[in-house]
């Protein structure tokens, strides 16, 4: 008997063949006066065959800043129309387009700088390589810095681009549930801007999304499955989510999914940012979920609203008794966001809470948390 299920044809779209997703909405979630800019972007997946589950990521293949590309061409007096090889197979692109769309130009690697030293007589660069100072130099610097700092170059454009890596895709936690938003995918992206080594720096993908793409434009995307960050199989299970800043993204997807499927399990969200008046991302949605019961508890920490800075881990401590009761009763615990500080602080606070409320030694509390991790009940999506 022949199967009637014709919709199981695999989608042709992937990392190597991304789907051109149309931007339906692109808004700043932060209020006026905020020191941050967080874009909420809604993309159409219509006719793509792409699907995802809460916890998955969306890969975006970005383009470099045209101003940075123009500065490189100007610095080196290169002809932007001259063809350069972009692959071992000999595929070529005009230089400007190759720098814009194909190569990573905002990050340097140690290997790259070492190879670049062969292309110049600049003593300072040879000394840097010889004395193992490359690692320190590349921190916060890009291709333009390298070309400006160590000329004159006795190299063609082709020789310089041969040093470059292919532009890697940027992965973002998906901020929507496909059940709640059929044929759509939403992202929550913090715009990255900072000054380093006397120059303004911009995140490649985040600033493309914040400044250079409008509603109606398209972005090349693909779905990246995330097997280590998913809702519990049973909708009866309680979930505790810690997601300050853009770490809220996958939890918006978790809550949407649970609301649309009427999951009976309880949900508790810890969210934090700088100021409640300007940085409470998705505030009205979250308050609505509280009213509807899709969100059982919502604890917020706004670090700039008080004399003493309050973060999500402080809110966890304030609720330590109830938090441990939820976990000991089978709740799943999720963390999403900054790996450097937040995730570490939340991890240590979790051990403190287990130690205190569970009446355990430090070692026993750590073992308890390791056990949760092995059961898949402590999951982290940190970057």
């Amino acid at each position: 008997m022949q199967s009637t299920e014709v919709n199981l044809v695999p989608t042709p779209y992937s990392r190597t063949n991304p789907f051109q997703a149309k931007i339906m909405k692109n808004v700043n979630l932060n209020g006026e006066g905020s020191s941050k800019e967080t874009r909420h972007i809604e993309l159409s997946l219509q006719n793509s065959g792409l699907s995802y589950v809460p916890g998955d990521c969306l890969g975006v293949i970005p383009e470099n800043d045209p101003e940075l590309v123009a500065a490189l061409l100007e610095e080196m007096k290169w002809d932007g129309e001259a063809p350069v090889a972009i692959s071992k197979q000999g595929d070529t692109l005009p230089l400007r387009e190759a720098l814009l769309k194909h190569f990573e130009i905002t990050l340097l690697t140690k290997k790259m700088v070492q190879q670049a030293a062969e292309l110049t007589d600049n003593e300072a660069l040879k000394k840097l390589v010889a004395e193992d100072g490359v690692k320190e130099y590349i921190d916060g610097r890009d291709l333009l810095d390298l070309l400006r700092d160590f000329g004159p170059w006795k190299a063609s454009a082709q020789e310089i681009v041969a040093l470059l890596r292919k532009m890697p895709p940027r992965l973002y936690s998906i901020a929507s549930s496909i059940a709640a938003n059929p044929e759509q995918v939403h992202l929550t992206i913090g715009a990255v801007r900072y000054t380093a080594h006397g120059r303004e720096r911009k995140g490649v993908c985040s600033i493309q999304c914040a400044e250079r793409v409008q509603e109606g434009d398209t972005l090349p995307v693909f779905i990246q499955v995330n097997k280590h960050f998913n809702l519990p199989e049973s909708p009866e299970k309680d979930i505790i989510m810690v997601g300050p800043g853009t770490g809220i993204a996958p939890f918006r997807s978790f809550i949407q999914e649970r609301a649309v499927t009427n999951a009976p399990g309880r949900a508790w969200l810890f969210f934090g940012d700088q100021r409640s008046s300007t940085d409470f991302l998705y505030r009205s949605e979250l308050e609505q979920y509280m009213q509807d019961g899709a969100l059982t508890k919502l604890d917020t920490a706004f670090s700039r609203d008080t004399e003493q800075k309050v973060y999500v881990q402080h809110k966890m401590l304030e609720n330590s008794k109830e938090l441990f009761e939820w976990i000991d009763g089978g709740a799943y615990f999720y963390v999403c966001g900054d790996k450097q500080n937040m995730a570490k602080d939340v991890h240590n606070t979790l051990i403190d809470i287990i130690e205190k409320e569970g009446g355990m030694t430090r070692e026993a509390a750590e073992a308890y948390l390791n056990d949760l991790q092995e059961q898949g009940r402590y999951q982290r999506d940190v970057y």
Side-chain angles (χ1 to χ4, degrees), residues 14 90 104 118 133 160 204 207 243 273 281 295 297 323-324 341:
S14 64
E104 169 78 87
E118 314 280 307
I160 298 285
V204 176
I207 299 303
D273 214 315
L281 309 181
L295 196 52
K297 280 176 74 77
L323 196 69
F324 182 70
N341 306 304

Side-chain angles (χ1 to χ4, degrees), residues 11 13-14 19 45 47-52 58 178 221-223:
T11 172
Y13 300 107
S14 64
F19 175 69
L45 293 179
N47 304 325
S48 69
L50 291 172
S51 186
Y52 59 88
L58 189 75
I178 207 163
V221 304
F222 60 93
I223 302 291

Side-chain angles (χ1 to χ4, degrees), residues 24 42-48 50-52 176-186 256-257 260:
M24 295 147 59
E42 299 185 0
L43 297 159
S44 168
L45 293 179
Q46 219 175 340
N47 304 325
S48 69
L50 291 172
S51 186
Y52 59 88
S176 54
S177 148
I178 207 163
N181 305 274
E183 300 202 306
Q184 289 184 20
V185 62
H186 300 176
Q256 279 188 355
E257 180 83 7
V260 100

Side-chain angles (χ1 to χ4, degrees), residues 84-373:
V84 287
I86 57 162
S87 69
K88 289 192 171 69
Q89 290 72 45
D91 303 310
T92 66
L93 277 178
L95 178 59
R96 182 182 285 105
E97 193 183 339
L99 292 173
L100 200 60
K101 298 180 178 179
H102 188 80
F103 291 113
E104 169 78 87
I105 59 175
T106 57
L107 290 174
L108 296 173
T109 64
K110 198 172 166 182
K111 185 181 169 198
M112 206 169 131
V113 176
Q114 288 166 337
Q115 289 175 329
E118 314 280 307
L119 304 174
T120 175
D121 292 327
N122 188 300
E123 287 309 318
L125 182 54
K126 298 200 184 305
K127 190 174 176 207
L128 191 76
V129 170
E131 292 175 6
D132 215 19
V134 176
K135 195 166 181 288
E136 202 178 317
Y137 173 79
I138 62 178
D139 188 36
R141 286 190 171 92
D142 64 11
L143 179 62
L144 184 57
D145 294 307
L146 180 73
L147 296 177
R148 278 182 180 166
D149 291 347
F150 301 117
W153 296 89
K154 45 175 193 181
S156 63
Q158 181 66 66
E159 287 172 300
I160 298 285
V161 300
L163 305 175
L164 303 176
R165 297 185 302 175
K166 191 175 186 307
M167 170 85 81
R170 304 316 199 251
L171 296 175
Y172 295 101
S173 304
I174 291 174
S176 54
S177 148
I178 207 163
N181 305 274
E183 300 202 306
Q184 289 184 20
V185 62
H186 300 176
L187 298 177
T188 311
I189 300 179
V192 177
R193 298 181 180 92
Y194 59 98
T195 302
H197 310 295
R199 270 180 53 213
E200 299 256 311
R201 314 282 166 166
K202 297 176 174 186
V204 176
C205 194
S206 71
I207 299 303
Q208 179 183 358
C209 290
E211 296 179 3
R212 300 198 304 277
V213 293
Q214 319 297 323
E215 289 167 12
D217 292 344
T218 61
L219 282 174
V221 304
F222 60 93
I223 302 291
Q224 177 78 40
V225 174
N226 186 356
K227 289 194 170 70
H228 307 290
F229 201 78
N230 300 110
L231 278 166
E233 277 179 30
S234 162
E236 317 263 325
K237 296 283 185 195
D238 296 335
I239 57 174
I240 301 165
M241 303 162 282
V242 181
T246 54
I248 182 88
F251 303 135
R252 182 177 184 261
S253 126
F254 280 19
I255 298 162
Q256 279 188 355
E257 180 83 7
R258 285 201 142 190
V260 100
T261 56
N262 293 319
R266 296 177 299 171
W268 185 351
L269 175 68
F270 289 88
F271 173 75
D273 214 315
Q274 293 184 348
R275 293 186 173 85
S276 65
S277 59
T278 57
D279 308 314
F280 194 159
L281 309 181
Y282 301 115
R283 180 179 196 153
S284 54
E285 283 183 27
L286 295 171
E287 287 171 349
Q288 188 62 52
Y289 284 130
M290 283 291 290
Q291 278 182 356
D292 300 344
L295 196 52
T296 317
K297 280 176 74 77
L298 173 60
D299 280 280
T300 57
F302 293 100
S303 59
R304 305 284 170 89
D305 283 352
T306 46
E307 289 233 335
Q308 291 269 301
K309 288 192 173 177
V310 179
Y311 296 111
V312 282
Q313 64 271 22
H314 301 129
K315 290 291 173 183
M316 286 168 57
L317 280 173
E318 278 175 30
N319 291 278
S320 68
K321 190 171 184 297
E322 192 178 353
L323 196 69
F324 182 70
E325 282 168 4
W326 277 49
I327 292 170
D328 216 40
Y332 281 56
F333 190 95
Y334 299 90
V335 185
C336 180
D338 162 51
K339 180 157 77 183
Q340 272 350 94
N341 306 304
M342 183 277 297
K344 219 174 282 175
D345 293 338
V346 166
H347 181 84
N348 293 330
T349 301
L350 201 48
I351 297 169
D352 293 342
I353 289 171
I354 294 164
E355 184 181 356
K356 179 185 154 202
E357 303 298 345
M360 302 180 202
T361 62
R362 191 74 181 170
E363 289 74 21
E366 285 171 356
Y368 181 100
L369 192 55
N370 284 339
D371 196 38
L372 281 189
Q373 206 154 9

